[in-house]
Amino acid sequence: MQRRHFIHSLAGGALAACAPSVFAQAYPARPVHIINPFAAGGALDQLARLLAQRLGDTLGQPVVVENKTGASGNIGAEYVAKSAPDGYTLVMGSSATHGIAPSIYGKRLPFDPLKDFTPISATVVQKNVLVVNASLNVRSAQDLIAMARAQPGKLSFGSSGAGTSQHLSGELFNKLANVDVLHVPYKGSALAMQDLLGGQLTMLFVDIPTALPHIRAGKLRALGQTAAEPSPTLADVAPLAQQGLPGFDIKAWYGVMGPAKMPQAVVQRLNAGIVEYLSDTQAREKLLGMGMEPLPLDAAQSAAFIAGELQKWTEIVRITGATV
């Protein structure tokens, strides 16, 4: 009797040990959904669709991008946090949802950026640029600062939403330049861009991929990059830190995450597919040309990166005093 029980225990232990491997081999058995918590047309949307196409090929199942917008990305992030942790519902997390939101929203935030998610893979660092309509009579960041000081409270800057890196870029601009420019939040970069081109906004802090076609077409004038180490995509546009605003250093990041407690084998499979894409020479060149710098990190490195970025953004929020 004891021998039979021992054999059954061994068999049960073997099944438990191989369960994650079996689950990983069976995954995915149906389409995977990546939630983009921001509106279609922006840099994050472009990145999500590039990743989805490659992951679909790698996984052998369609990977579908869905836009669930609102509350600066928090609605889409909350949706994923409360989804089943089976690897079929993921989110494009960002510095907005997992870096800035905890400090901006405090107890109102409906999720914990670390406890309620499984980091799968960091993807890219995204740098923003300060742009104005080409018809505006300014040629430099200092020209814009002089205009803002002459008209306190009369100028406006747009962003892809309150609590985003673009919003914080504008608040840091106000702080370091000692000006008062009104923040106008949108539900995505593309929507803010429409109003800048239409003359409803004075200036816009926006991701480089969204701004680049309009800069090249001569419709927008780029006045400064928000990162201290500028993107080579706009090599002729100096960082704001070199234009009389020392200490100005803001850049966004994006990463793929799932709900907490995802099977490790599934996390590793997804991470391998994403890292393979980010390390591909042609993919890297494409992303760099869009102003995105790939971060091919494993899951553990990605988790450490996200935790570190949360601390950095908490300090930036404190310095700027930004609120929603």
Side-chain angles (χ1 to χ4, degrees):
M1 187 72 178
Q2 289 181 341
R3 175 179 173 80
R4 184 181 301 170
H5 177 72
F6 178 69
I7 292 172
H8 285 172
S9 297
L10 283 176
L15 285 172
C18 72
S21 176
V22 170
F23 188 87
Q25 290 174 6
Y27 172 88
R30 62 180 190 272
V32 176
H33 292 254
I34 297 179
I35 303 302
N36 172 13
F38 291 94
L44 182 53
D45 198 60
Q46 296 176 48
L47 174 63
R49 294 179 192 282
L50 288 171
L51 281 175
Q53 182 177 357
R54 176 61 71 90
L55 272 179
D57 294 339
T58 301
L59 298 175
Q61 285 284 351
V63 177
V64 182
V65 177
E66 293 183 43
N67 297 87
K68 290 186 180 293
T69 65
S72 302
N74 295 332
I75 289 177
E78 179 188 11
Y79 174 83
V80 173
K82 295 180 178 178
S83 297
D86 52 13
Y88 289 97
T89 307
L90 313 174
V91 66
M92 292 299 299
S94 68
S95 46
T97 55
H98 289 73
I100 301 170
S103 297
I104 289 277
Y105 288 91
K107 294 181 179 179
R108 291 175 292 165
L109 192 68
F111 57 81
D112 185 297
L114 299 181
K115 295 179 181 178
D116 292 341
F117 293 87
T118 298
I120 295 171
S121 180
T123 56
V124 301
V125 167
Q126 170 66 65
K127 296 174 179 177
N128 295 326
V129 60
L130 169 59
V131 291
V132 297
N133 194 299
S135 64
L136 192 68
N137 188 28
V138 295
R139 293 291 183 273
S140 67
Q142 284 301 319
D143 287 347
L144 186 60
I145 291 171
M147 177 182 286
R149 288 176 178 169
Q151 304 177 57
K154 299 291 181 64
L155 308 187
S156 60
F157 78 89
S159 77
S160 58
T164 61
S165 68
Q166 298 170 15
H167 171 204
L168 269 291
S169 295
E171 297 295 354
L172 190 59
F173 182 84
N174 276 338
K175 181 77 172 181
L176 297 182
N178 192 27
V179 294
D180 179 17
V181 181
L182 176 68
H183 175 223
V184 183
Y186 291 79
K187 289 186 177 181
S189 300
L191 299 174
M193 180 60 70
Q194 290 176 16
D195 275 3
L196 181 67
L197 292 169
Q200 284 78 45
L201 289 172
T202 309
M203 53 198 273
L204 178 63
F205 288 91
V206 67
D207 54 86
I208 291 176
T210 300
L212 203 55
H214 305 293
I215 294 171
R216 289 173 173 167
K219 296 179 180 179
L220 296 182
R221 183 174 298 116
L223 299 183
Q225 297 197 47
T226 63
E229 296 180 0
S231 169
T233 308
L234 290 174
D236 58 337
V237 180
L240 291 169
Q242 298 176 11
Q243 299 188 64
L245 300 177
F248 204 118
D249 186 17
I250 284 185
K251 48 187 175 288
W253 58 265
Y254 304 132
V256 178
M257 307 173 193
K261 300 180 181 180
M262 280 180 59
Q264 191 60 32
V266 173
V267 172
Q268 291 174 354
R269 184 164 188 199
L270 287 167
N271 175 270
I274 295 169
V275 168
E276 179 185 17
Y277 171 71
L278 297 175
S279 302
D280 179 80
T281 301
Q282 290 185 339
R284 284 183 60 86
E285 289 178 356
K286 183 178 182 63
L287 292 171
L288 288 170
M290 295 168 60
M292 298 180 178
E293 299 175 13
L295 286 177
L297 306 177
D298 64 29
Q301 292 170 331
S302 297
F305 171 80
I306 292 168
E309 285 295 307
L310 177 60
Q311 293 182 344
K312 291 179 184 178
W313 280 106
T314 298
E315 180 63 12
I316 292 174
V317 171
R318 186 192 68 79
I319 291 171
T320 61
T323 58
V324 178

